Amino acid sequence: MDKGYIVPEAALKKLRAAKGLGQAVYIYGATGYGKTELVKQYLSKRRYLYISCAEDSAGLLEAAQEEGKGKEAETRTVAAVDDLHLLKDAEGRRAVLSLIKRRDVWLILICRSPIPVWLMPPYVGGGLLVITEDDLRLKEKEIAAYIKSQGLDITEGELAFVTQRSRGNAYIVRHTALKMLEGLRPGSKLEQEIGEAFAGYLESHVMVQWDSDLLEFLMQVSVADEFTLPFAEMITGNCHAPELLERAVETGNFLSCKDGVYRLRPQLIRALRRRAAKEYSPRERAGHVYNAGLYYEMQGQIVPALAMFEQCGNKERIRELLIRNARLNPGNGHYFELRHYYLQMKEEEVEESPVLMAGMSMLYSLLLQEKESEYWYKKLEGFASAAKGGRRREAVSRLAYLDIALPHRGSADMIGIMKKMPALIFDKGMSLPEFSVTSNCPSTMNGGKDFCHWSREDRKLAATIGKLVERVLGRYGKGLVKAALGESLYEKGEDIYEVLTLLARAKMEAEGGGMAELAFAAVGLQVRLDTLQGQIQTAGEVLASFEKNVIEQGAVQLLPNIAALRCRLALYQGNREAVLAWMGQAPDEDKEFCILERYRYLTKVRCYLSLGKYLKAQALLEKLRYYAEKCGRTYIRMEVCLLSAIAKYRTGGEWKGEFFPMLREACGYHFIRLVSEEGAAAQELFAAAGKSLLEKEVMDKAWLSRLMEETGKVAVRYPAYLKGRLAEAPDFCEAALSILRLQAEGKSASQIAGELSMKEATVKYHVKENYRKLGVCGKADAVLTARDLGIL
């Protein structure tokens, strides 16, 4: 580093504190974080002993054997031991431990790795003050000062880019400044150049210090960004992998481990791959990649397995995996994630396999491209009519599966389809492929398909066609009828004890040889019921218990929607921190829209509403509306209309055109909980509409009265649910604020109009808008809320 290098303040403070206490210091961080430069600058005006374990480890022994010269702070010998990660002999390590204990020596240890095992005794005993890599990171202010010291100007956006991409690494910041002096500005091109240069530096100055067996091991595992011990053993075939990983951790702070998963830093991965390209032939490197693919395949991780087989050019393996994935239902398979592999296959390749043809039909349906889906369905039909034996049976069973499961076909003809199944399955000895009733959503009536229309005759259908459905679906349908009937009764607000009985039995049937997804549907309904009754803590405990069982059973496909359901509980509790944490892992609808994520998307809409991001909520709702219309999803369409009405009402848009048709349709099904579960958010709309208009729009007065009563109870139980961002002064124009101030003085609308020289109608408009923004219904509440928020 040059004289322009700026010492990170956090590290400097710790170094000064250690000097005052006479406490030994351990400084660690990856290459380029300025560890040595920090010490040299701090000690630049002092005499000190510098020992590098890379060049003169013998000096350690001399320093340890030297007699003490004093005990006072001003007479202590200052010793800096650098490159400690290279100190491997026992004698040298004993010398360091001896120096740490010496009161006449102030010792500074510089290393690339966190505290090694052999230094744990003095560390645990309080003999070491540790300066971490985080302490060494240059902060944005320090980076700005350094760049300015080099005579350079930088914009705020460029500074943020450099800070984020460099992660405060002094070497990268220095290199950035040099490139800027050459005329490059911070951006992708500069980042690429520096990344290549840094990888070259690591290759030529850092990796050359490693033992050959360690370097060879890391080059081989670098085919993946992260790996486990079994993974490393599979790729390398090295029985000493545990020992090598231990050595790698001690060699430098570039390898981290969490929950058994090792991760290499991106810069080192690039350097290792560069070196591997020189050391190994293309065939040898392809072998390492192929082994990685096999490991992923054995673990059932099809997406990374395919990426590895694509990288090593093994097309036959790719085809085999795509067929295997196509045998899974969309809830367990990876159709959407693997779509580019399927779509790049040649048509003649697909036509050779009935499983692939069925998979293509399902994939296109998931992509909302019904014409292409039906094209492959017809292709499969043609194959079935010409094929014989096992291949014909496979094709016919796939056609039967698609008849039931294709999303774009909806569920209108489902009873007729189900009645034909026994003759096909039982009489002809065929079986349905793997099936998903719920698509991993906590619902059966609104799961893989929408069955709102069945709800009108729920008890009759459960008693008649119920047994047939369960018989056709086999273990995939265990508990289905009871769960579906329980959900229908719940939605209509019928006897909670009957609902609980049905859900409990459905769960037991699903757990007794059925599918975990159906148990989740029952548990999800129980969680909703507990929440509705005000027992939200019980709801959380029920969900946590079920999640634990799911993890033990390995049904990991349910975990994302379990987390979404937990987020919905957090919304009821007004737990903003939990909501924001979930949003960090929620699917990004702007990057890609996948219909299998609909439950998480609808959860995300509610999060947007609670955070006051109404335009984001509306944009996502329009995508969900398009999906609901294309695939005949009645319940989701009604849900979208309700949430859209809430968003539009809060932004002053036309909301009644969404709200009233939704109410009339929900009334037609006698659904209560679709609306009442939205509590305070729906209550806003009822209050804004007024009782007389509601009764005019909805003919069933008894249903409406019951709905409004239950919605009011939920609003009282969960006042913070979807509350939205609190209003702030900038949300109000000067006229609106003036009206609020005069209302606070007790003046009427006509008096305010006269004082402000406004029309009374204008005053009333502003009053109404003020109430909406403050989330209140009257003058007294408006004034109190505005004062609480500091607006008045």
Side-chain angles (χ1 to χ4, degrees), residues 335-351:
Y335 290 78
F336 192 78
E337 300 94 320
L338 303 179
R339 61 192 182 279
H340 80 275
Y341 291 105
Y342 283 108
L343 298 178
Q344 70 185 11
M345 293 183 74
K346 295 179 181 178
E347 189 163 317
E348 52 268 27
E349 286 184 89
V350 179
E351 290 174 342

Side-chain angles (χ1 to χ4, degrees), residues 68-354:
K69 295 180 179 178
K71 295 183 180 180
E72 299 301 321
E74 60 270 16
T75 61
R76 288 192 184 106
T77 298
V78 179
V81 180
D82 205 348
D83 302 310
L84 195 68
H85 50 280
L86 299 177
L87 183 62
K88 297 174 183 177
D89 63 282
E91 194 173 6
R93 291 178 175 182
R94 282 195 295 270
V96 170
L97 292 170
S98 174
L99 287 170
I100 290 173
K101 297 175 183 177
R102 291 263 296 268
R103 295 187 63 189
D104 62 316
V105 175
W106 183 43
L107 184 64
I108 301 174
L109 303 172
I110 306 170
C111 190
R112 287 194 186 132
S113 70
I115 306 261
V117 174
W118 62 274
L119 273 179
M120 277 298 170
Y123 170 66
V124 173
L128 289 174
L129 186 148
V130 180
I131 296 176
T132 69
E133 186 176 293
D134 283 339
D135 297 322
L136 294 166
R137 293 185 200 281
L138 296 176
K139 306 298 186 290
E140 186 173 279
K141 185 178 179 181
E142 294 164 337
I143 293 172
Y146 175 76
I147 290 176
K148 186 177 180 181
S149 75
Q150 302 303 300
L152 292 163
D153 292 323
I154 189 168
T155 67
E156 286 187 12
E158 290 174 335
L159 179 60
F161 180 88
V162 173
T163 304
Q164 180 187 11
R165 301 304 172 92
S166 69
R167 295 185 60 79
N169 185 293
Y171 176 94
I172 296 176
V173 172
R174 167 64 174 158
H175 203 149
T176 298
L178 291 173
K179 286 293 180 183
M180 288 177 69
L181 287 168
E182 294 175 11
L184 275 178
R185 302 304 299 179
S188 57
K189 184 178 179 182
L190 183 145
E191 183 183 17
Q192 179 68 22
E193 285 195 22
I194 291 177
E196 287 296 325
F198 194 36
Y201 174 79
L202 291 173
E203 185 182 348
S204 58
H205 290 81
V206 177
M207 287 157 49
V208 292
Q209 297 176 339
W210 298 346
D211 294 334
S212 59
D213 60 339
L214 177 60
L215 176 58
E216 182 178 328
F217 174 79
L218 291 174
M219 283 192 295
Q220 291 173 4
V221 297
S222 71
V223 296
D225 295 347
E226 59 183 42
F227 55 90
T228 60
L229 175 58
F231 179 96
E233 291 172 330
M234 178 84 175
I235 293 175
T236 64
N238 194 323
C239 61
H240 300 295
E243 176 196 337
L244 288 163
L245 282 172
E246 187 176 330
R247 283 165 55 193
V249 170
E250 292 187 355
T251 298
N253 192 30
F254 57 78
L255 180 67
S256 62
C257 182
K258 183 179 180 181
D259 299 327
V261 178
Y262 293 88
R263 292 175 179 85
L264 290 162
R265 289 179 186 255
Q267 300 95 330
L268 186 69
I269 290 174
R270 181 181 290 185
L272 286 166
R273 289 173 181 171
R274 280 171 50 130
R275 184 62 178 265
K278 299 172 186 175
E279 295 287 332
Y280 298 111
S281 68
R283 184 175 179 180
E284 288 174 319
R285 194 61 173 160
H288 301 146
V289 176
Y290 180 77
N291 286 344
L294 279 182
Y295 176 82
Y296 285 131
E297 184 181 346
M298 290 164 60
Q299 298 300 310
Q301 300 178 48
I302 294 190
V303 177
L306 278 169
M308 289 296 169
F309 292 140
E310 183 179 37
Q311 190 178 329
C312 68
N314 196 312
K315 293 183 179 180
E316 186 57 37
R317 205 73 187 176
I318 291 174
R319 186 175 184 276
E320 289 176 12
L321 274 183
L322 290 176
I323 291 175
R324 187 182 305 173
N325 183 71
R327 291 187 183 279
L328 302 174
N329 69 67
N332 292 334
H334 303 277
Y335 290 78
F336 192 78
E337 300 94 320
L338 303 179
R339 61 192 182 279
H340 80 275
Y341 291 105
Y342 283 108
L343 298 178
Q344 70 185 11
M345 293 183 74
K346 295 179 181 178
E347 189 163 317
E348 52 268 27
E349 286 184 89
V350 179
E351 290 174 342
E352 293 175 1
S353 167

Side-chain angles (χ1 to χ4, degrees), residues 361-362 365 373-374 377 401-402 404-410 449:
S361 181
M362 176 56 72
S365 187
S373 176
E374 292 296 338
Y377 182 90
Y401 164 74
L402 293 175
I404 299 172
L406 282 176
H408 73 270
R409 290 189 178 180
K449 290 289 185 81

Side-chain angles (χ1 to χ4, degrees), residues 290 346 378 440 545 568 626:
Y290 180 77
K346 295 179 181 178
K378 294 291 185 185
N440 300 325
S545 177
R568 295 193 183 199
Y626 177 78

Side-chain angles (χ1 to χ4, degrees), residues 296-509:
Y296 285 131
E297 184 181 346
M298 290 164 60
Q299 298 300 310
Q301 300 178 48
I302 294 190
V303 177
L306 278 169
M308 289 296 169
F309 292 140
E310 183 179 37
Q311 190 178 329
C312 68
N314 196 312
K315 293 183 179 180
E316 186 57 37
R317 205 73 187 176
I318 291 174
R319 186 175 184 276
E320 289 176 12
L321 274 183
L322 290 176
I323 291 175
R324 187 182 305 173
N325 183 71
R327 291 187 183 279
L328 302 174
N329 69 67
N332 292 334
H334 303 277
Y335 290 78
F336 192 78
E337 300 94 320
L338 303 179
R339 61 192 182 279
H340 80 275
Y341 291 105
Y342 283 108
L343 298 178
Q344 70 185 11
M345 293 183 74
K346 295 179 181 178
E347 189 163 317
E348 52 268 27
E349 286 184 89
V350 179
E351 290 174 342
E352 293 175 1
S353 167
V355 176
L356 279 178
M357 283 186 279
M360 291 296 283
S361 181
M362 176 56 72
L363 173 60
Y364 276 116
S365 187
L366 293 172
L367 295 173
L368 302 179
Q369 298 180 36
E370 60 268 27
K371 288 183 179 179
E372 291 81 356
S373 176
E374 292 296 338
Y375 171 82
W376 282 109
Y377 182 90
K378 294 291 185 185
K379 283 278 188 182
L380 185 57
E381 271 190 327
F383 182 95
S385 64
K388 295 181 180 180
R391 287 170 67 79
R392 184 178 185 281
R393 284 195 298 274
E394 176 81 78
V396 172
S397 70
R398 292 282 154 187
L399 286 168
Y401 164 74
L402 293 175
D403 286 337
I404 299 172
L406 282 176
H408 73 270
R409 290 189 178 180
S411 56
D413 302 325
M414 200 58 61
I415 291 179
I417 292 169
M418 284 292 180
K419 286 180 177 178
K420 295 177 184 177
M421 287 295 156
L424 180 68
I425 295 174
F426 304 115
D427 298 346
K428 296 185 179 180
M430 297 183 185
S431 61
L432 277 179
E434 182 184 274
F435 198 87
S436 174
V437 174
T438 70
S439 292
N440 300 325
C441 296
S443 172
T444 52
M445 196 173 73
N446 183 31
K449 290 289 185 81
D450 182 288
F451 291 103
C452 283
H453 60 286
W454 286 25
S455 182
R456 292 191 174 106
E457 299 182 278
D458 46 19
R459 295 182 190 275
K460 178 182 175 182
L461 288 171
T464 55
I465 198 173
K467 292 182 179 179
L468 170 64
V469 171
E470 288 191 340
R471 187 180 176 210
V472 167
L473 296 179
R475 71 188 185 95
Y476 301 109
K478 276 198 168 187
L480 169 61
V481 173
K482 292 181 178 64
L485 179 57
E487 183 171 357
S488 180
L489 299 180
Y490 170 80
E491 289 290 353
K492 292 186 286 189
E494 298 193 21
D495 183 64
I496 63 170
Y497 297 105
E498 183 179 5
V499 171
L500 282 172
T501 300
L502 287 165
L503 295 180
R505 292 181 178 180
K507 184 171 181 286
M508 291 179 69
E509 286 183 15

Side-chain angles (χ1 to χ4, degrees), residues 554-607:
V556 295
Q557 72 275 10
L558 299 177
L559 294 178
N561 282 341
I562 290 175
L565 180 52
R566 189 185 303 109
C567 177
R568 295 193 183 199
L569 295 181
L571 285 167
Y572 279 108
Q573 295 168 310
N575 187 342
R576 181 184 174 90
E577 187 177 334
V579 169
L580 290 173
W582 181 83
M583 286 287 279
Q585 64 183 29
D588 184 355
E589 72 277 9
D590 294 326
K591 182 179 178 183
E592 55 187 18
F593 184 85
C594 175
I595 68 173
L596 294 173
E597 296 285 13
R598 55 190 176 273
Y599 184 75
R600 293 209 289 169
Y601 287 146
L602 285 162
T603 304
K604 197 172 185 182
V605 167
R606 289 170 169 84
C607 293

